[in-house]
Amino acid sequence: MWKSRVVAPVLFPSRTEVLSRGKRMVVRVVLLQAGCAALVASAFLVFKGAHQGLAALVGGLIVAAGSAVFGWRVFKPGIAGGAAITMAMYGGVVLKWLWFALALYLALALLKLEAAPLLIGIVVAQLGYWASLIRLK
């Protein structure tokens, strides 16, 4: 009546493997966002001109740098408790938005870059984030 089942052991990743996966994910996100920024900047360069291409590139790189700051802050505590990780995530979001606000101010007010290509560069670079979440096997 009773059938015996063999249960295989559950393998959990090591702590260093978890951290390295997270850091690789941050690098993948930042590189894809920078690639999207370069792609949209080259399209603006070809069709609109150098000033618009620069604005699109700056917009995309603002997003990529914000993702890098967020990723750096989130993985700074390493393997830690829930409270430390939560605080690291909150700190990362705050730093990312501070960077974003400062960089937009510098790009629009001081560098006098055009707003439309800058915002298009921001949106296309954000699409790079969504593309980085796709896992191809």
Side-chain angles (χ1 to χ4, degrees), residues 9-44:
V10 177
L11 299 176
F12 293 106
S14 68
R15 292 179 179 206
T16 56
E17 185 179 349
V18 170
L19 285 176
S20 66
R21 280 184 187 177
K23 290 176 183 177
R24 282 194 313 263
M25 181 186 64
V26 170
V27 169
R28 182 175 61 234
V29 167
V30 171
L31 288 178
L32 272 170
Q33 286 179 330
C36 287
L39 186 68
V40 74
S42 61
F44 269 102

Side-chain angles (χ1 to χ4, degrees), residues 12-131:
F12 293 106
S14 68
R15 292 179 179 206
T16 56
E17 185 179 349
V18 170
L19 285 176
S20 66
R21 280 184 187 177
K23 290 176 183 177
R24 282 194 313 263
M25 181 186 64
V26 170
V27 169
R28 182 175 61 234
V29 167
V30 171
L31 288 178
L32 272 170
Q33 286 179 330
C36 287
L39 186 68
V40 74
S42 61
F44 269 102
L45 179 66
V46 169
F47 294 113
K48 292 291 187 176
H51 191 66
Q52 289 83 1
L54 177 64
L57 181 66
V58 168
L61 291 180
I62 287 172
V63 173
S67 295
V69 167
F70 175 76
W72 162 76
R73 185 63 188 107
V74 166
F75 290 105
K76 187 177 180 185
I79 302 296
I85 298 297
T86 301
M87 290 307 294
M89 290 196 66
Y90 286 147
V93 170
V94 168
L95 285 175
K96 178 179 164 180
W97 280 104
L98 286 174
W99 157 251
F100 198 72
L102 176 68
L104 279 179
Y105 170 75
L106 292 173
L108 292 173
L110 295 181
L111 296 177
K112 307 281 190 220
L113 296 176
E114 291 188 33
L118 183 81
L119 293 176
I120 291 171
I122 287 171
V123 169
V124 171
Q126 190 60 36
L127 292 176
Y129 168 76
W130 294 107

